Each structure stands twice: as structure tokens, then as C-alpha cells.
Amino acid sequence: MGRLTRRAFALAALSAFTTTGAAAPAPVRVPSGRPGGGHGRAPAQMRGVWLATVANRDWPSRAGLTAAQQRSELLGWLDLAVRDRLNTVIFQVRPTADALWPSSYEPWSQVLTGTQGRSPGWDPLGTAVTEAHARGLQLHAWFNPYRVAIHDDPTRLVASHPARRHPDWVVPYGGKLYYNPGLPQVRAFVQDAMLDAVRKYPVDAVHFDDYFYPYPVAGQTFDDDAAYDAHGGAFPNRAAWRRDNIDRLVRETASRIKAVRPTTQFGISPFGVWRNASTDPRGSDTHALQSYDAVHADTRKWVREGWIDYVVPQLYWHIGLPAADYAALVPWWAEVARGSSTKLYLGEALYRAGDPAQTAAWQDPAELSRHLTLAARHPEARGHVFFAAGDLRTDRIGAMARVVADHYGQPATPPR
């Protein structure tokens, strides 16, 4: 699958609704000076970056580096975040039902040594927490709850892998392996596996991405018939049962985090569209894939009910895109968060800036800076998270440098 990113679906989800032509950006003024002026600190706001490890997307640069080389690279990413006046690193520590710490439940990740289950000879998560805090950064531990492998061959998993000990937990789908969210024993196990890290380290947050049930693959069916027959009798249809399974995961995880480490937050970065207004009057003015229906994630409910401490919708589209306009989605999410206890941050597609495969809007170094200017009109939007660390470093057309110059004149602490 090449340089795999968890963001591929943001593009695929819109492909049926958009053309290759670029819509003109809305007229949003970019400030010429630095907000706040003078010296000191800016008001509290999230300034985050995702550091992806799946398929060695950002770190380590390749499997099989020495422990010293891996550690040096990791510290380099933390130093880069400090350089750009960020305050939070969201570090992917469980990319595929494995671990970047000595886990009591799952094997060492193969992204470290190239062999699943082989110790790298050091503790990446423990080091990341200690070194991030030493630099004044928050460290959010990023977990993928249900993805087991980015291939569909169980025999390629280490023999001791829980998915091989419990093959009935696993569903092959779309060339990958997933744990079945409809099994109560799976839901309990993945929580135990993730909470192992919370018990061992003072992580500032547990962070989920947008993968719950897998994104739809044309012509394929996610085979959870037996689980639905056993556990779905109280629901009007399979979709409602699946949403309840994910609701339970979110609600139970939130409760268990607070029981283990009360100061640790719980945040989720869902796909940026909950539902379209054409489907549901509560939805956004968009024409895109709907996470409520496609991956059975009722993200609006989680915010309104206060089950999560923060939400970072992946608003990976430019201002003016007809199918999913950034300028329409920011106020929609601000309204969802208004009056709730859930903080709203916005996920930004730094990876698109300057990519020659993207539309004209993403060739403009000021596009991302305009996003921050627009979001500042909405007090509920309390910061931004950029995907991803590798693009922070390359910064093809200087889009991140423009963000820093226009908006990050002083350091800022994340909201508490």
C-alpha cells in the first residue's frame, strides 16, 4: 500500500462528489502581524501535530534502526515541534494491535525492528513522555482500537498474537484484518491493552483516530453475522447495533481512563463530516461520506454527551470546496461543541499543502493560514492539529512557516 496514511479516506470519501477543478477560496483576510504582539505567551490554545508510525509513515524512518538511532530521530521530532511553537505531540503508539512500549497484552510493533514481537531494546513511549514533558510539550498517546494488520494473512502475525489465539475475534476485510467491534470480549480486551499504557505512563491524553468500523470497500461485506445474531436482538437494524458497539467503546474507555489516571484526557479525531444536511437536518452543508453511516461513529453524540474531553474533526478540505467546505464545517462543529464540556480543536491537512496531486487551492502557501484566521472567528475552536510530522519537516511550499509567522508569534499552553 506504499506510504500508508490514515488520511487516505479523507480524499477517497469525496472522490465521488468532487471534480478536479479547484474552487476559489472564500475571501478571508490573513493578518500581517503576529497576534498578541510584544512578548510573553499567547492565550491557551491547542497547537498539535500527529506523529504517525503505521508503516513507518513518520517515525522511525525505517524499521531496523538501532535503539540509539530511533531515539535520536524521536527526539528530533519533539525538537521540531518546539521550533514551530507547537505544544502537543500526538504519538501513534498502537498502530496495528501492537505496542511501542513493553505491553502486558500485545507484541512489540514491527515498525521498530521489522519483526513483530522483537524488543527494540528501549522504551519509545516512556522516552517520548519524559522527553516531551522536559520540553514543555504534552504527549497524547494515539491508539487505533480495532485494526489488527494492514494485510489479511493471520499467519504473518507473531504466533503469540492475541488475534491468532482468538481467531474468532478477527474479521478480514478490504485486504486488512480487524477485531470485531460487535464482540463484548473484544471491546474489553482492546480497552485493557490501551489502558496498560495509561497505567504505566503519565500520558496527557488517550487519542483515537477516525477508524472504528472499517471504511466501506466496494463489493465487500464486513462479516459480523454471528456477532449480530448473538448480541443484536435489541436493535432495530444492524447499523443501530454497530453504532451502539462504538458508543460503548467510547463511553467505557472514557470511564476507565478516569479511574486509572484522572488527569489524563480522552480525545478523538473523527472524519470531518458527521452527516450531510440532505440526510439529516442536524447535519452539515456538505455532500460527502457520513461517518455516522459509513463507520458507525456517532461523533456528534459523543461531543454533546460530554463523553470525550476533546474532539479534533479532520477538516482536510480547502475553503470553498463544494462537497465539504472548510468554511461551512468550522461553524457546524462550533455549534455542536457550544454548551458542551468537550473542547473543539480542528484537524488540518498540512500533508496536502504543495502536493502536486492536489488542487490549486493547496498550492497556495496561505491556504492553511486562512484556516486559522477563519477559525478564530469561532470561540469554540480552541486550536489546531496538523497532519503530519513528516510534512512539518518538509513543508514543501512554506505553508507551515506561514502559519507560524502569522499565528504562532509566541508560545502557548494547551487548554486545560
Side-chain angles (χ1 to χ4, degrees):
M1 198 167 176
R3 296 286 288 177
L4 178 73
T5 83
R6 73 185 180 100
R7 303 314 200 237
F9 289 110
L11 180 60
L14 289 174
S15 61
F17 302 96
T18 62
T19 67
T20 56
V28 179
R29 185 182 64 83
V30 177
S32 58
R34 293 179 175 181
H39 302 285
R41 300 188 74 84
Q45 57 182 268
M46 168 61 73
R47 299 177 182 177
V49 62
W50 279 286
L51 178 58
T53 61
V54 64
N56 297 93
R57 199 274 183 195
D58 296 324
W59 178 87
S61 57
R62 61 179 174 84
L65 297 177
T66 67
Q69 289 169 327
Q70 290 177 9
R71 186 178 189 278
S72 177
E73 284 191 357
L74 181 59
L75 299 189
W77 290 119
L78 301 181
D79 290 338
L80 184 63
V82 172
R83 183 203 72 180
D84 283 351
R85 300 191 186 96
L86 306 183
N87 55 33
T88 301
V89 173
I90 302 175
F91 181 34
Q92 190 175 33
V93 299
R94 187 179 182 265
T96 52
D98 49 19
L100 271 71
W101 74 96
S103 169
S104 304
Y105 294 88
E106 293 178 311
W108 281 104
S109 178
Q110 67 183 27
V111 304
L112 298 170
T113 64
T115 301
Q116 189 175 62
R118 178 181 295 172
S119 171
W122 69 300
D123 182 353
L125 176 54
T127 300
V129 172
T130 299
E131 295 292 341
H133 291 171
R135 290 163 172 76
L137 299 168
Q138 285 200 358
L139 197 289
H140 294 202
W142 165 15
F143 304 86
N144 186 289
Y146 292 121
R147 184 172 57 206
V148 173
I150 55 176
H151 57 77
D152 60 2
D153 182 1
T155 66
R156 291 172 57 185
L157 302 173
V158 65
S160 61
H161 198 291
R164 294 191 66 177
R165 298 200 309 267
H166 303 279
D168 55 311
W169 289 5
V170 180
V171 180
Y173 181 77
K176 302 180 179 66
L177 298 175
Y178 297 91
Y179 282 131
N180 187 343
L183 297 176
Q185 59 270 38
V186 164
R187 190 170 68 247
F189 172 79
V190 298
Q191 291 175 40
D192 290 342
M194 295 182 292
L195 286 163
D196 182 71
V198 180
R199 288 191 179 91
K200 291 176 176 174
Y201 309 100
V203 295
D204 296 290
V206 166
H207 183 94
F208 287 176
D209 54 27
D210 54 316
Y211 291 115
F212 296 98
Y213 277 87
Y215 281 84
V217 177
Q220 298 199 25
T221 300
F222 188 82
D223 184 6
D224 57 0
D225 287 354
Y228 182 48
D229 290 344
H231 304 288
F235 297 89
N237 53 54
R238 192 181 305 237
W241 169 71
R242 286 178 172 176
R243 276 190 295 275
D244 184 71
N245 292 330
I246 304 304
D247 283 353
R248 287 173 183 264
L249 171 74
V250 171
R251 192 169 60 244
E252 291 169 4
T253 300
S255 177
R256 294 185 65 183
I257 290 168
K258 299 309 178 189
V260 171
R261 196 178 291 275
T263 58
T264 292
Q265 303 173 76
F266 181 30
I268 296 179
S269 60
F271 184 77
V273 175
W274 172 70
R275 297 192 100 186
N276 301 313
S278 58
T279 301
D280 187 322
R282 299 171 298 171
S284 52
D285 183 16
T286 49
H287 307 279
L289 178 143
Q290 305 170 110
S291 62
Y292 178 94
D293 304 275
V295 298
H296 309 290
D298 193 351
T299 53
R300 182 181 182 277
K301 178 196 285 187
W302 307 341
V303 173
R304 299 301 302 167
E305 295 291 335
W307 291 351
I308 55 179
D309 296 303
Y310 69 80
V311 65
V312 194
Q314 297 172 24
L315 305 189
Y316 292 164
W317 307 295
H318 64 261
I319 295 169
L321 180 69
D325 187 349
Y326 185 92
L329 282 161
V330 170
W332 186 87
W333 279 101
E335 176 62 28
V336 169
R338 188 171 302 137
S340 78
S341 61
T342 303
K343 294 184 286 291
L344 172 64
Y345 313 133
L346 306 175
E348 302 290 348
L350 177 60
Y351 73 100
R352 290 192 172 188
D355 181 346
Q358 298 295 327
T359 55
W362 290 107
Q363 311 312 316
D364 183 350
E367 175 67 24
L368 281 180
S369 183
R370 283 193 286 266
H371 289 197
L372 274 68
T373 301
L374 186 155
R377 301 171 184 170
H378 301 275
E380 295 81 10
R382 302 179 65 184
H384 304 260
V385 182
F386 299 90
F387 189 84
D391 308 280
L392 199 69
R393 175 169 287 168
T394 56
D395 199 14
R396 297 180 194 88
I397 56 173
M400 192 65 199
R402 181 68 178 269
V403 166
V404 174
D406 290 345
H407 301 279
Y408 293 170
Q410 298 86 29
T413 56
R416 299 288 181 181

